[in-house]
Amino acid sequence: DTAVSQTPKYLVTQMGNDKSIKCEQNLGHDTMYWYKQDSKKFLKIMFSYNNKELIINETVPNRFSPKSPDKAHLNLHINSLELGDSAVYFCASSQTNGQPQHFGDGTRLSIL
Amino acid sequence: TQLLEQSPQFLSIQEGENLTVYCNSSSVFSSLQWYRQEPGEGPVLLVTVVTGGEVKKLKRLTFQFGDARKDSSLHITAAQPGDTGLYLCAGLLYTGRRALTFGSGTRLQVQP
């Protein structure tokens, strides 16, 4: 059983489109995260949710909107995609905020 | 500038050699985690260190947290090709926001 699963694994789309990435965790964790990993492999937090409540919102363009329907799911919707959005997006979860994290396998987003 | 600087950025060695990766900061961390990431996958937790001066061993990997909790090191003895990957340190700041800050990463390649 995959602990943190995100879909799709690959996403290739045109500039200006809107897309969503889904994430689910079956670990019973309270906290979920979205990270962006750039081409230099630097991993930067975007959002963090604790029990469906937003607790961390880094300086991310408001074209990015996370949604947590329940504590096991955290989805990421991106409007008006730009070339600079190309990256690998990782979902993660932890027992509570700041604790060791379990990561999904990432979604590689490529903007044409 | 990164809050957590890792060195070296890249390391290519022969099987059987020893190596050390450093993770340095001017900030104090309440805990520090080490992850390994392989291509196409998410980071996987190796260890968490919490106490200044703490040393933890995981088979051939030895992790140390600095006395002042500002730095950490990872030492690998007799490296094997299976150790190849991207090593990331991540710290939880002692004060301030409760989100992991990731280091810049060390890419290790072990040649057979």
Side-chain angles (χ1 to χ4, degrees):
Chain A
D1 269 354
T2 306
V4 179
S5 59
Q6 52 183 110
T7 54
K9 191 166 174 70
Y10 299 97
L11 195 45
V12 181
T13 189
Q14 303 269 5
M15 205 164 54
N17 283 351
D18 304 338
K19 289 293 177 187
S20 292
I21 308 172
K22 295 188 175 183
C23 180
E24 175 181 3
Q25 55 99 0
N26 63 6
L27 297 166
H29 287 166
D30 286 343
T31 309
M32 295 186 73
Y33 313 81
W34 278 110
Y35 287 88
K36 180 180 180 180
Q37 188 171 46
D38 61 26
S39 58
K40 293 184 179 178
K41 303 299 182 186
F42 181 55
L43 201 60
K44 188 171 180 193
I45 190 165
M46 300 172 69
F47 302 102
S48 172
Y49 271 73
N50 192 62
N51 269 319
K52 303 192 298 176
E53 303 244 348
L54 180 67
I55 54 173
I56 291 172
N57 183 352
E58 291 295 288
T59 49
V60 176
N62 58 14
R63 297 182 294 104
F64 290 78
S65 50
K67 277 195 173 58
S68 183
D70 55 60
K71 77 172 195 176
H73 294 84
L74 180 62
N75 303 321
L76 183 65
H77 187 76
I78 316 169
N79 288 326
S80 304
L81 282 157
E82 299 177 358
L83 288 174
D85 298 332
S86 294
V88 182
Y89 292 84
F90 285 99
C91 176
S93 73
S94 63
Q95 188 64 58
T96 57
N97 189 28
Q99 292 296 305
Q101 297 181 13
H102 293 252
F103 284 81
D105 282 341
T107 295
R108 184 174 293 276
L109 175 62
S110 299
I111 310 300
L112 303 177
Chain B
T1 50
Q2 309 267 10
L3 191 60
L4 273 169
E5 292 282 352
Q6 283 185 240
S7 60
Q9 280 188 303
F10 302 98
L11 196 51
S12 181
I13 61 172
Q14 294 296 121
E15 183 176 359
E17 290 184 31
N18 301 335
L19 66 117
T20 303
V21 176
Y22 299 94
C23 176
N24 295 310
S25 177
S26 55
S27 300
V28 178
F29 294 93
S30 59
S31 68
L32 202 132
Q33 301 163 22
W34 283 91
Y35 293 81
R36 179 168 67 213
Q37 184 180 11
E38 300 191 25
E41 298 180 9
V44 175
L45 179 74
L46 295 173
V47 79
T48 301
V49 285
V50 177
T51 308
E54 182 177 2
V55 176
K56 277 192 174 177
K57 291 197 173 191
L58 190 67
K59 296 183 182 176
R60 294 174 294 97
L61 279 58
T62 302
F63 303 85
Q64 183 159 11
F65 201 11
D67 290 341
R69 291 183 295 163
K70 293 182 179 181
D71 53 79
S72 181
S73 63
L74 157 60
H75 182 79
I76 302 179
T77 305
Q80 297 177 3
D83 296 327
T84 293
L86 177 70
Y87 288 82
L88 296 161
C89 63
L92 196 62
L93 283 168
Y94 187 69
T95 58
R97 69 173 190 151
R98 301 294 289 174
L100 276 184
T101 298
F102 277 82
S104 42
T106 294
R107 205 174 302 196
L108 171 66
Q109 181 151 29
V110 182
Q111 310 278 3

